Amino acid sequence: DTAVSQTPKYLVTQMGNDKSIKCEQNLGHDTMYWYKQDSKKFLKIMFSYNNKELIINETVPNRFSPKSPDKAHLNLHINSLELGDSAVYFCASSQLREEAFFGQGTRLTVV
Amino acid sequence: AQSVAQPEDQVNVAEGNPLTVKCTYSVSGNPYLFWYVQYPNRGLQFLLKYITGDNLVKGSYGFEAEFNKSQTSFHLKKPSALVSESALFFCAVRDGRGYQKVTFGIGTKLQVIP
């Protein structure tokens, strides 16, 4: 059983399109995250939800909108995609303050 | 503001030799410290953490790390490196207070040479 699963694994899309990435965890964790890893492998947090409540919202363009329908799911919707959005996006979950479990990543390529 | 420094972009070690991957941190409150490993085209995997207690922390796959409060360091170590452990290693820190975010270092590439 995959602990943190995100779909799709690869996403190639044109500039200006809107796309979503889905994430689900079956670990019973109360906190979920979205991270962005750029081409230099630098990892930066974007958002964090605790029990469906947004608790961390880093400096991210408004085009990025997370949605947590329940504490096992955290989706990421991106409007008006730009070339600079190309990266690997990781979903993760944890018990609050504990170590995180990461999904396998979604490689987004904007052309 | 909290920060993590991994001073080496890459560490090369011969198979069977001990390895050390360095990490120093800065945080206002008590630090929660983590090490993760990332293999190519994979997500990060948790290795070990320090929250409180013994300064020497033992983790998965024979890795360990030593918390040094005076030097604000949390270096990762292993007595004998394997070629299969060539990967990208990330140190991370969070402030122990409240809903603080986790800050990751830039990563250190470990290359184990056969």
Side-chain angles (χ1 to χ4, degrees):
Chain A
D1 273 351
T2 303
V4 181
S5 61
Q6 51 183 111
T7 55
K9 189 170 182 179
Y10 299 97
L11 187 53
V12 181
T13 187
Q14 291 188 324
M15 283 175 55
N17 283 352
D18 303 339
K19 290 294 178 185
S20 292
I21 308 171
K22 296 186 176 181
C23 180
E24 175 182 5
Q25 56 98 1
N26 63 5
L27 297 168
H29 289 160
D30 50 20
T31 307
M32 295 186 72
Y33 313 82
W34 277 109
Y35 284 88
K36 179 180 180 180
Q37 187 173 43
D38 63 23
S39 58
K40 295 183 180 180
K41 305 296 185 184
F42 186 66
L43 198 66
K44 187 167 179 188
I45 190 164
M46 300 172 70
F47 303 103
S48 176
Y49 273 74
N50 179 254
N51 284 320
K52 302 189 335 179
E53 179 186 347
L54 182 66
I55 57 171
I56 294 173
N57 186 353
E58 287 295 286
T59 308
V60 176
N62 291 338
R63 300 181 293 103
F64 290 79
S65 54
K67 286 200 170 43
S68 182
D70 55 61
K71 73 175 199 177
H73 295 84
L74 179 62
N75 303 323
L76 183 66
H77 188 75
I78 315 169
N79 289 328
S80 303
L81 277 155
E82 300 177 358
L83 292 176
D85 297 332
S86 295
V88 181
Y89 292 85
F90 286 102
C91 177
S93 73
S94 74
Q95 288 297 101
L96 192 62
R97 304 194 189 99
E98 297 294 326
E99 68 273 16
F101 290 76
F102 284 76
Q104 79 276 23
T106 296
R107 183 175 295 276
L108 171 65
T109 304
V110 182
V111 297
Chain B
Q2 60 193 37
S3 65
V4 176
Q6 293 183 244
E8 300 154 316
D9 288 339
Q10 181 160 329
V11 169
N12 296 322
V13 63
E15 186 178 24
N17 281 5
L19 69 89
T20 298
V21 183
K22 295 180 180 177
C23 172
T24 58
Y25 67 90
S26 173
V27 68
S28 299
N30 290 327
Y32 285 26
L33 293 155
F34 306 88
W35 274 104
Y36 292 86
V37 60
Q38 185 179 28
Y39 293 97
N41 300 313
R42 303 289 297 275
L44 278 70
Q45 295 176 33
F46 168 73
L47 281 179
L48 50 81
K49 66 182 176 185
Y50 172 84
I51 294 177
T52 187
D54 288 342
N55 290 342
L56 184 63
V57 178
K58 293 188 184 297
S60 307
Y61 314 116
F63 286 94
E64 59 186 31
E66 185 162 11
F67 171 64
N68 187 317
K69 187 173 182 178
S70 62
Q71 296 185 7
T72 61
S73 67
F74 190 57
H75 301 331
L76 181 71
K77 300 185 180 189
K78 190 171 183 280
S80 178
L82 300 173
V83 173
S84 59
E85 290 166 342
S86 297
L88 190 57
F89 288 78
F90 289 94
C91 181
V93 69
R94 63 164 297 155
D95 192 315
R97 302 170 297 180
Y99 293 130
Q100 301 297 325
K101 67 179 180 180
V102 174
T103 299
F104 282 81
I106 61 171
T108 298
K109 183 177 179 181
L110 173 67
Q111 189 72 42
V112 182
I113 303 161

